[in-house]
Amino acid sequence: MILPPVGLLHYLILSVCLFSFGLLAVITRRHAIGILLGIELMLNSANLNLVAFSHFLSPDTVLDGQVFALMVIALAACEAAVGLAIILRFYRQAAVTDVADAKLLKW
Amino acid sequence: MTWADWFDQFAFFLVGGITLLGAVGVVFAPRIIHACLCLLVALIGVAGLYGLMAAHLLLGIQLLVYAGGIAVLILFAIMLLHRRGEGGILGGTRNLIIGLPATVIVWFVVAAAVIFSKWHYLPGGATVSPPAGSNVRIIGELLLSRHLLAFELVSVVMLMALVGAIIIAREDKQPGRNTPGTTGVSPVGSRTGETPVLPDGVCTGGEDESE
Amino acid sequence: MLELAWLIPLLSFAACAVLLFFGSALQRRMGEGVGWISVAGVVAGIPLALGCLVQLARGDSPVQSSFLWAPLGSVGANLRFGFAVDALAAVMLVMVTVVASCIIVYSIGYMHGDKRYSRFFAYMSLFTGSMLLLVLADNFLVLYIGWELVGLCSYLLIGFWFERKSAANAAKKAFITTRVADVGFAVGILMIFCYVPSLNFAEVFAAASAGLIPVTIVGLAAAFLFIGAMGKSAQFPLHTWLPDAMEGPTPVSALIHAATMVAAGVYMVARLFPLFIISFGSAVLWGVPALLIVGIIGLITALLAATLGLVQNDIKRVLAYSTVSQLGYMMAALGMGIVGFAAAVLHLIVHAFFKALLFMCSGSVIHGCGGEQNMKKMGGLAQRMPITYWTTWIGALALAGIFPLAGFWSKDHMMAAVWARSLAEPVYWIFFLGLELAAIMTAAYIGRMCFLTFAGAARSEAAGEAHESPAVMTVPLAILAAFTVLLGIVGTQFIGGNLFSSFVNVEMPGSMAVAGLHGLAHGEHGFNWIVAGISTLMALTGLLTAIVVYRWHWLDTRLLKRYLAPWYRAALNRYYIDDFYQATVVRGTLGLAEVTRICDKYIIDGLVNAIGWGTRVVFSTLIRLFDDFVVDGAINVGAWVTGFVGRVSARAVHHGEVQEYVAGFAVIAAGLAGMVYLVVMLGW
């Protein structure tokens, strides 16, 4: 059996799958934190892309892609902190964690 | 195919499979706490993929920040939101009828773009075998030279996020405003039958019961 | 020691910094003891300065050191920051540190209870430090820095009691007048810098004597530099700020008049003396070389200020005009050329001591009389303030030039120089006569001041209740008085053949043979009995006049006033020089400002406003029409359509379910991305 060698495409497809699952989690989870989990998945898939491009498309000494991924991780940490703070606040205000209940502005 | 190639294949599919399994768990786990644990698995899987691509620094940071930091933070948040006697935390999914087709469409579009694109390989790239030695030094130099501005900006953003998170999550000082009763949604106290006591000792539930 | 000279100004600056930043906090902790911080900064410099002096006197060669400050690559020159200690600088260092120490100790008593007490001492330290920096400069730039710092400090200190409008005005006047002069100084520096890619004194002098700079340019530059000195040293016609500077606290006056501000001008001319010598053969203006301009201005100033000093009633103003006059002496002596150099410097030093003494005595008197400065309201203070009385007389006699006080030796030295010059060229007899005339008036006005203040009966209540000042004020007086008595030794020709002249002399680069200065070597001439006799006679004449009029009252002052009415009125009005400036410069500036203001307000603003008005009228009409019909119409139509669509369909989609929105966004984004991909990447 001849399999194509593991290359860029493998990682990109895997990354697309991860992204799709993240999106699916954002759309379907009932708990507000579930949305956060989905977002983390999507960010990770993006990071995977960056690292894969850096690894496969450019020489080993050019690592800007990895630096970029580092930035994304830092920002993801910020996002998680602020997101959780918002959810906590929302819970304290409304006593629920279902985003479907956040309809105060809907007329 | 040499043994090294077989090892590549095996390692990729094993780690990738674990990652995807974790992702599936994130979506479909019935309880949110399980979903979070599945995310942890997926994150560790991604870290493994970084390792396969010789991004050793990222591997470490992924484990430290994501698996060690963010995932645990989310776990804590879930436990904070979970109240005893509430009859289980909100779990499960909905909107599958809308969500699945939407996701599949996105998947197909992006996957098609990935497959049909002609990737431009720069000379010296496209080696699967990890390079000799560590590349942490190069990343460090890049961070403090070419990407210094971005580096500094990220630090500023982190500071802002820190302050913002504290401000958003802080308890309100004035008890009269923003109590659960004013939001139009049934407050904690009346749903669970117990009175939430804020850390500063202000009883907020009593007002609602007097309405 | 010589290598440590840079510490001397630094100590003062450090004291200033401490007082400036921690002054109020320290004052809360240690009360009015904060003044001693300033004293410490200056006093610590005395041993260093003395060490430098002793080392140089023992025959060590002068030290110069500098570091690269600002490389000017394209010009090919480097600006360096450096210090140089030679004989001239060393004697100045000793003088400034000693006199300033006495003055600052004195001000601890004088400024007692002032609300900006620590601030005052910070400024005093800065003032002294700036002067020391100026003295130590080894190039034009450092000299200029010190120069401007001194100007700034004089502004801050003259206007120290800025709540008084007159003080604020005097500060402004001093600052602006010296600033006008500083432009001349800057122009002179720049002229030199155009020819020599260096600002170092030694290099500039060498280049000038080697002919790298045209002699006419050297002369012109020297004349411009002298304009700067005229401002700082209050030479005619820029002397008007100095009497007004009396508005500052008396220790400030003493510091300005003795050690720091006004000495800077004379010091600068002395420091740059080779330039004046080199350019002696080339006329700057109407056939007069720069050096002679210095002499002429000095002579005019000496005479003019001495006559003004005769009619002042404010005790400090008498001394102020006396300072102006004495500075004129120094400039005149410098104008005599190399022969007068050492004499002028000696007089600068000696004058600093006895003028500081006189000012502090006047401060003591003012302090004792509760702030009264008018001599007409004093009198009879001799018994009540004995220390002040005797020290004042020592200072006064020194100023008049009475043997054996220090003032006698320095003044005699200068007159001897003028005499020697006159023998060579008869034109210079004018100088001799003029300066001897000024000597009479000097003795007269200082005698008048002493008699009016101390003799007779008290003429006001405050003077009747006067008391001697505290020890912190009288001890510095005594120290300075001792210096005034003894300092003359260095200037006598009888001990070691005039130590001072052989120590301080002009370091001319190369062998200079300058036209018109032949046969006049360094001040090696012996004691001139004729000159000394004439000078003493003149001084005694002046003093006798003062005694006759103000002590024995043989001659009524009213009679004098009537006989000399035209001159008296003119002198009271300071020969209308201030009025002239007020009418021309001040009015002119204000008038120009007014014209500019009117131009700005009516022409420029008017134009702008007219354009604005026209635009507003035209466009408001157009835009209103456009608004009414086009914009409103379109919006109304849009609103109607939106409302219709909303009523029919949008309500169903906008249900508020966030996650369904996300799904929709994802699909739409994917669709858009797909389209973009097809178009861009695959070229469909």
Side-chain angles (χ1 to χ4, degrees):
Chain A
M1 191 174 79
I2 300 296
L3 286 174
V6 176
L8 181 61
L9 270 188
H10 286 73
Y11 284 95
L12 292 189
I13 297 295
L14 182 66
S15 154
V16 174
C17 294
L18 270 183
F19 186 84
S20 301
F21 279 119
L23 182 60
L24 194 57
V26 170
I27 295 175
T28 59
R29 291 298 318 193
R30 292 161 60 85
H31 198 288
I33 288 183
I35 293 174
L36 216 54
L37 300 182
I39 292 172
E40 295 298 341
L41 268 187
M42 289 154 88
L43 280 168
N44 263 283
S45 81
N47 263 357
L48 203 56
N49 266 3
L50 290 170
V51 178
F53 285 138
S54 164
H55 182 60
F56 289 105
L57 295 187
S58 63
D60 285 333
T61 48
V62 179
L63 295 172
D64 299 67
Q66 291 197 21
V67 172
F68 211 94
L70 271 177
M71 309 280 178
V72 174
I73 288 178
L75 291 177
C78 301
E79 170 262 328
V82 177
L84 284 173
I86 292 173
I87 291 170
L88 271 176
R89 181 69 181 206
F90 173 59
Y91 174 70
R92 205 177 292 135
Q93 297 269 72
V96 292
T97 53
D98 190 346
V99 283
D101 288 337
K103 280 188 189 173
L104 200 61
L105 290 177
K106 164 71 180 160
W107 49 278
Chain B
M1 287 181 72
T2 63
W3 284 110
D5 292 336
W6 277 112
F7 175 76
D8 277 340
Q9 299 279 344
F10 175 73
F12 174 77
F13 282 108
L14 179 68
V15 180
I18 290 172
T19 311
L20 278 183
L21 274 178
V24 171
V26 169
V27 180
F28 293 110
R31 291 177 63 120
I32 189 67
I33 194 140
H34 295 155
C36 187
L37 292 172
C38 290
L39 178 74
L40 194 56
V41 172
L43 294 178
I44 293 170
V46 171
L49 292 173
Y50 289 156
L52 290 183
M53 287 187 287
H56 301 119
L57 179 70
L58 272 178
L59 184 152
I61 287 178
Q62 174 86 6
L63 284 179
L64 283 174
V65 176
Y66 261 117
I70 296 177
V72 172
L73 180 70
I74 293 173
L75 272 176
F76 269 113
I78 290 168
M79 287 187 242
L80 268 179
L81 297 183
H82 181 81
R83 306 188 74 87
R84 193 171 302 222
E86 208 176 333
I89 198 74
L90 202 58
T93 56
R94 61 154 171 258
N95 291 334
L96 271 177
I97 301 158
I98 308 169
L100 269 178
T103 312
V104 170
I105 290 171
V106 170
W107 190 90
F108 267 109
V109 169
V110 184
V114 166
I115 290 167
F116 290 118
S117 295
K118 266 180 74 74
W119 297 106
H120 180 65
Y121 290 83
L122 289 175
T127 50
V128 185
S129 57
S134 164
N135 50 22
V136 177
R137 181 193 176 85
I138 302 175
I139 293 177
E141 279 165 1
L142 277 177
L143 269 181
L144 290 180
S145 57
R146 197 189 312 173
H147 300 290
L148 184 62
L149 179 65
F151 186 63
E152 294 295 333
L153 285 179
V154 164
S155 67
V156 173
V157 170
M158 289 186 89
L159 180 67
M160 303 299 284
L162 185 71
V163 175
I166 290 170
I167 289 176
I168 293 170
R170 198 181 47 179
E171 302 278 347
D172 281 315
K173 287 283 184 289
Q174 294 152 302
R177 283 174 47 210
N178 294 332
T179 48
T182 58
T183 56
V185 184
S186 56
V188 181
S190 56
R191 179 188 277 183
T192 60
E194 63 185 45
T195 304
V197 177
L198 296 178
D200 52 357
V202 178
C203 179
T204 56
E207 288 178 14
D208 303 313
E209 273 152 18
S210 67
E211 278 178 8
Chain C
M1 267 325 161
L2 289 173
E3 291 76 17
L4 291 178
W6 53 271
L7 267 176
I8 305 172
L10 201 68
L11 286 166
S12 289
F13 285 134
C16 167
V18 168
L19 283 168
L20 215 51
F21 294 124
F22 311 111
S24 48
L26 284 171
Q27 198 175 352
R28 237 172 284 130
R29 188 79 47 85
M30 48 199 276
E32 299 202 334
V34 288
W36 293 103
I37 296 175
S38 177
V39 174
V42 182
V43 167
I46 295 179
L48 288 169
L50 276 174
C52 291
L53 188 68
V54 168
Q55 258 189 314
L56 285 171
R58 259 196 277 143
D60 288 15
S61 49
V63 167
Q64 181 193 342
S65 67
S66 59
F67 61 88
L68 189 60
W69 185 20
L72 304 179
S74 57
V75 189
N78 291 323
L79 297 185
R80 302 185 70 84
F81 195 97
F83 291 143
V85 193
D86 56 4
L88 177 60
V91 293
M92 285 295 286
L93 283 180
V94 174
M95 182 276 276
V96 174
T97 46
V98 172
V99 174
S101 307
C102 291
I103 293 172
I104 295 174
V105 170
Y106 172 87
S107 24
I108 287 176
Y110 192 86
M111 296 305 286
H112 172 72
D114 195 272
K115 61 182 167 188
R116 287 188 292 272
Y117 190 80
S118 67
R119 179 65 55 90
F120 179 82
F121 287 97
Y123 290 163
M124 291 294 262
S125 285
L126 185 62
F127 208 169
T128 313
S130 316
M131 185 64 193
L132 292 166
L133 178 73
L134 186 155
V135 167
L136 278 174
D138 83 327
N139 65 45
F140 284 96
L141 202 59
V142 179
L143 184 69
Y144 195 74
I145 293 169
W147 191 265
E148 293 297 335
L149 274 175
V150 168
L152 167 74
C153 294
S154 71
Y155 170 77
L156 291 173
L157 283 169
I158 294 170
F160 188 72
W161 290 324
F162 53 79
E163 292 90 348
R164 291 214 315 247
K165 190 153 173 36
S166 58
N169 280 341
K172 266 187 287 181
K173 188 171 179 179
F175 194 64
I176 293 170
T177 311
T178 51
R179 181 130 292 280
V180 169
D182 290 350
V183 174
F185 189 20
V187 169
I189 293 176
L190 292 177
M191 281 173 76
I192 289 169
F193 195 61
C194 284
Y195 286 88
V196 188
S198 167
L199 286 175
N200 185 286
F201 291 141
E203 289 169 26
V204 168
F205 296 158
S209 69
L212 294 179
I213 314 175
V215 180
T216 45
I217 296 295
V218 177
L220 215 53
F224 271 112
L225 292 167
F226 178 61
I227 290 177
M230 278 160 67
K232 273 279 185 293
S233 284
Q235 297 298 295
F236 175 82
L238 296 177
H239 65 278
T240 54
W241 66 269
L242 193 58
D244 285 14
M246 294 302 107
E247 290 295 340
T250 302
V252 173
S253 308
L255 200 57
I256 287 179
H257 284 256
T260 54
M261 183 88 169
V262 295
V266 179
Y267 175 77
M268 188 257 265
V269 175
R271 174 53 76 198
L272 306 178
F273 209 58
L275 288 183
F276 289 89
I277 299 293
I278 290 163
S279 67
F280 191 71
S282 146
V284 174
L285 203 63
W286 300 310
V288 179
L291 189 61
L292 202 51
I293 293 179
V294 175
I296 292 169
I297 294 286
L299 177 64
I300 295 174
T301 312
L303 274 171
L304 191 94
T307 55
L308 286 175
L310 281 170
V311 300
Q312 301 301 320
N313 287 328
D314 184 325
I315 183 168
K316 283 171 76 181
R317 274 180 190 269
V318 176
L319 293 173
Y321 280 112
S322 151
T323 304
V324 176
S325 172
Q326 296 301 307
L327 290 165
Y329 264 99
M330 297 171 209
M331 289 296 186
L334 285 171
M336 295 305 106
I338 294 170
V339 70
F341 180 81
V345 177
L346 179 63
H347 195 59
L348 178 62
I349 306 286
V350 169
H351 172 257
F353 280 98
F354 68 68
K355 190 49 67 69
L357 172 63
L358 283 171
F359 261 110
M360 283 154 63
C361 289
S362 80
S364 177
V365 167
I366 295 166
H367 197 72
C369 294
E372 183 56 59
Q373 300 198 6
N374 193 340
M375 293 190 295
K376 294 267 154 111
K377 295 185 180 167
M378 294 177 185
L381 295 177
Q383 289 82 33
R384 292 185 198 87
M385 311 179 80
I387 303 175
T388 311
Y389 176 67
W390 287 110
T391 47
T392 307
W393 265 113
I394 291 173
L397 292 179
L399 176 64
I402 301 294
F403 180 85
L405 298 170
F408 168 77
W409 298 105
S410 62
K411 195 174 271 187
D412 171 65
H413 207 150
M414 291 197 297
M415 293 317 292
V418 181
W419 176 270
R421 196 84 176 85
S422 310
L423 287 179
E425 276 180 80
V427 189
Y428 285 83
W429 286 115
I430 298 170
F431 281 90
F432 192 79
L433 291 177
L435 291 180
E436 290 295 4
L437 191 61
I440 302 180
M441 290 190 281
T442 305
Y445 66 66
I446 198 66
R448 170 178 177 264
M449 187 197 95
C450 289
F451 291 126
L452 276 180
T453 310
F454 294 107
R459 287 185 294 275
S460 75
E461 218 172 292
E465 292 163 2
H467 54 86
E468 184 60 280
S469 302
V472 76
M473 289 166 76
T474 50
V475 169
L477 290 184
I479 295 172
L480 284 180
F483 270 106
T484 307
V485 175
L486 299 176
L487 205 62
I489 294 169
V490 301
T492 56
Q493 279 83 346
F494 299 114
I495 302 172
N498 200 341
L499 291 169
F500 194 83
S501 290
S502 49
F503 181 48
V504 177
N505 48 37
V506 198
E507 305 271 344
M508 288 303 293
S511 58
M512 286 298 304
V514 178
L517 294 174
H518 284 299
L520 294 171
H522 295 178
E524 295 294 334
H525 47 88
F527 188 72
N528 193 326
W529 291 97
I530 307 171
V531 176
I534 295 175
S535 293
T536 309
L537 198 65
M538 293 299 159
L540 289 176
T541 314
L543 278 178
L544 199 67
T545 319
I547 293 172
V548 165
V549 178
Y550 294 99
R551 186 78 184 93
W552 297 336
H553 300 290
W554 288 357
L555 207 62
D556 195 355
T557 48
R558 273 167 298 180
L559 210 66
L560 278 175
K561 278 178 196 164
R562 198 175 316 141
Y563 283 135
L564 299 171
W567 169 78
Y568 182 69
R569 211 175 307 122
L572 269 189
N573 288 306
R574 311 172 192 178
Y575 298 126
Y576 305 104
I577 295 171
D578 286 63
D579 298 320
F580 175 74
Y581 287 153
Q582 185 69 29
T584 54
V585 181
V586 179
R587 281 283 165 71
T589 313
L590 290 179
L592 194 65
E594 183 64 17
V595 169
T596 327
R597 188 183 73 83
I598 289 171
C599 267
D600 196 43
K601 185 164 182 186
Y602 294 104
I603 298 181
I604 296 177
D605 277 13
L607 203 65
V608 172
N609 286 341
I611 292 174
W613 181 81
T615 318
R616 209 175 58 210
V617 169
V618 172
F619 278 85
S620 66
T621 317
L622 285 178
I623 286 172
R624 190 173 57 78
L625 292 174
F626 182 77
D627 230 27
D628 278 358
F629 294 101
V630 183
V631 179
D632 281 10
I635 285 176
N636 284 338
V637 171
W640 183 82
V641 170
T642 313
F644 180 75
V645 173
R647 268 193 301 282
V648 172
S649 63
R651 200 74 200 215
V653 183
H654 289 274
H655 40 59
E657 296 285 347
V658 184
Q659 289 172 308
E660 290 179 24
Y661 290 169
V662 173
F665 292 156
V667 173
I668 291 165
L672 283 174
M675 280 193 272
V676 169
Y677 183 75
L678 292 181
V679 172
V680 176
M681 293 306 224
L682 302 184
W684 278 12

